Amino acid sequence: MQRRVRGWRGRSGFDKVDLYTRGTLYSLVWCAAVVQTLMSVTRPVRATAPAALIATAILLAVAQGVCGTALTAGGLKKYLGRGTVDRWLVAVGAVLLVANAAAMLALASFTDVREFPQLELVLSACVVPISCAFVLFVQKWVALLQQLVVAVGVCAVVDLLGGGGALVASAFIATAFGSGMMSVTTRMSAWSLGVMWKLREAQDLQARLAVAEERLRFGRDMHDVLGRNLAVIALKSELAVELAQRGKPAAVDQMVEVMRIARTSQQEVRDVVRGYREADLRTELVGAQSVLRAAGIECEVSGDGGDALPAPVQSALGWVVREAATNVLRHGDPRQCTIRLRTSADAAVLDVANDGAPRADAAPPGASPGSGLAGLRERLDVLDGSLEADSAGNGWFRLTATVPLPGTRPVRPAFRSAPASLKETR
């Protein structure tokens, strides 16, 4: 199955935050690698250090960027509780940290530590890739201890190379401050991403609970309606059998009563199902707008609420709103949706339009069309209404339902493209 590559505008709000956070952390790692590379090819270094050592330092910087990116990705999975970090990758990262710092100090030794350009910045850049990832999968005090040990080790080597007290202090401040700042940034970014993940899970859980609650309500109503009546029917049927076995004519009266209760139960079940299946138009409009906005889709509802429409018309259009909102969520990758209800003396017209609709040729081979629109057409046919679905070439999909009001002839609207106001917002 081919995965469709989406751009920035094609992503939902959560996906944008996720991509932005990960991209920021990966950029920090590679910025550090770029700093090391640039410092390795400055004029003082090129003039004194061997070319092989410079090439080795550059390769180590690139390798640390690759390893740091993989470690950061694994650290995010570990922090969010969705995976673990490979121990061998941690070991490789630690080795590359030491090797990179050694290569940069070796370059500085050829150039003279006091003349090496921005030695403090380079040493800080050596620590950043591992620090960004390390803080995600260890305790805070362990990460702090690691940064302190690395800073002290770097300063000790600088002192051995004759850097002097001022340069040693500067290297310690730059290394500790740089790694500490990057660690705090990484930790805060991961925390923000974790909050977003929990919010998304909460939304999914809320939707599942709503479905479960509705099922319980329907089951409770059915039990209340049928439980007592079925018990009465069972008792009267047993009584009728006993009377019939004794040859008493009262058995007929009992069976007549059973028949009456059965018909009453049948009507009560129909009433329950009708109340469960009927859709209130205003409620469906508000619910669709709320659900779509919660999914990160900008939804605009305009027109009157249809309170003056007959009850059958409101119920039919309410089902159209419900099915249209479901299709917007399930199909394509929409960012905007508009729902417009217009009523006149002749008809009521409901228009639902959304962008991000998949192309007709994008459907997988052998895919069968859904039954949702067919069911809506059946509901509208009872009221002499019509339903038109139009997929425009500009990525917009429009669903238009028209229901003639009593005493009028059916009206067939023809909407073929998104309104100008919608096109301007794209």
Side-chain angles (χ1 to χ4, degrees):
M1 179 178 179
Q2 296 181 350
R3 297 182 62 183
R4 184 164 59 94
V5 179
R6 296 181 298 172
W8 175 260
R9 298 186 61 187
R11 295 176 180 269
S12 65
F14 172 81
D15 291 334
K16 288 180 179 179
V17 173
D18 184 85
L19 179 62
Y20 175 79
T21 303
R22 295 178 185 273
T24 301
L25 296 181
Y26 299 157
S27 297
L28 292 177
V29 173
W30 281 103
C31 283
V34 170
V35 168
Q36 298 176 61
T37 302
L38 293 178
M39 292 297 105
S40 301
V41 295
T42 54
R43 183 179 299 274
V45 175
R46 294 199 313 267
T48 58
L53 182 58
I54 295 176
T56 301
I58 295 175
L59 290 176
L60 286 173
V62 174
Q64 193 182 38
V66 175
C67 183
T69 302
L71 270 175
T72 303
L76 281 175
K77 291 182 180 179
K78 175 70 174 179
Y79 185 85
L80 297 174
R82 287 171 170 76
T84 58
V85 181
D86 295 330
R87 294 183 178 180
W88 66 268
L89 195 60
V90 177
V92 171
V95 171
L96 286 175
L97 168 61
V98 176
N100 276 8
M104 293 302 164
L105 291 173
L107 291 176
S109 66
F110 279 97
T111 309
D112 188 350
V113 175
R114 289 166 294 185
E115 297 180 2
F116 188 78
Q118 302 297 331
L119 177 60
E120 302 89 341
L121 177 62
V122 175
L123 294 177
S124 178
C126 293
V127 180
V128 165
I130 186 66
S131 297
C132 285
F134 200 66
V135 74
L136 293 174
F137 52 86
V138 297
Q139 297 181 6
K140 297 178 182 179
W141 70 268
V142 176
L144 181 61
L145 181 61
Q146 172 261 333
Q147 295 166 12
L148 182 61
V149 170
V150 171
V152 171
V154 168
C155 293
V157 176
V158 172
D159 183 60
L160 290 176
L161 294 176
L167 186 58
V168 170
S170 178
F172 178 82
I173 294 174
T175 304
F177 177 77
S179 60
M181 184 181 65
M182 293 300 102
S183 298
V184 171
T185 301
T186 302
R187 191 84 179 193
M188 291 298 296
S189 299
W191 176 81
S192 300
L193 188 59
V195 172
M196 292 297 298
W197 274 97
K198 291 180 180 179
L199 288 176
R200 189 180 210 184
E201 292 175 351
Q203 289 180 349
D204 295 340
L205 180 60
Q206 184 180 12
R208 291 194 297 269
L209 289 176
V211 173
E213 183 179 358
E214 186 64 17
R215 289 176 178 174
L216 290 175
R217 186 194 69 81
F218 183 71
R220 182 177 64 251
D221 291 346
M222 292 296 294
H223 177 270
D224 293 342
V225 169
L226 292 180
R228 180 182 60 83
N229 290 348
L230 290 177
V232 174
I233 289 176
L235 291 175
K236 286 188 173 293
S237 298
E238 293 176 0
L239 179 59
V241 170
E242 293 290 338
L243 293 176
Q245 289 176 349
R246 297 177 184 178
K248 294 185 178 180
V252 177
D253 297 334
Q254 295 297 327
M255 290 308 300
V256 171
E257 183 66 14
V258 168
M259 181 176 60
R260 184 192 66 80
I261 296 175
R263 289 178 176 176
T264 302
S265 300
Q266 184 180 25
Q267 183 61 41
E268 290 178 349
V269 170
R270 288 175 180 173
D271 294 338
V272 171
V273 174
R274 184 181 300 110
Y276 180 77
R277 297 180 63 184
E278 283 183 351
D280 179 71
L281 180 56
R282 178 174 290 275
T283 301
E284 293 298 332
L285 288 172
V286 175
Q289 185 180 38
S290 177
V291 170
L292 294 178
R293 286 182 174 177
I297 303 172
E298 182 181 349
C299 181
E300 177 186 356
V301 178
S302 60
D304 55 55
D307 296 334
L309 296 175
V313 177
Q314 289 196 41
S315 179
L317 293 181
W319 272 101
V320 174
V321 173
R322 183 182 299 183
E323 180 66 23
T326 302
N327 290 338
V328 171
L329 293 173
R330 292 179 57 187
H331 305 297
D333 187 21
R335 299 184 305 275
Q336 296 179 347
C337 178
T338 61
I339 304 175
R340 297 181 178 179
L341 177 63
R342 295 176 292 165
T343 58
S344 63
D346 299 330
V349 180
L350 178 68
D351 183 45
V352 183
N354 66 274
D355 64 348
R359 302 189 309 272
D361 56 359
S368 58
S371 59
L373 297 183
L376 292 181
R377 288 190 173 94
E378 293 177 359
R379 292 178 182 274
L380 294 176
D381 285 342
V382 177
L383 302 174
D384 293 331
S386 63
L387 183 70
E388 293 189 4
D390 178 27
S391 181
N394 56 1
W396 282 85
F397 180 81
R398 182 178 297 281
L399 190 67
T400 304
T402 304
V403 180
L405 298 180
T408 63
R409 299 177 60 183
V411 178
R412 304 288 180 177
F415 294 99
R416 290 292 179 259
S417 62
S421 59
L422 294 181
K423 294 179 179 178
E424 292 174 357
T425 59
R426 292 190 62 191

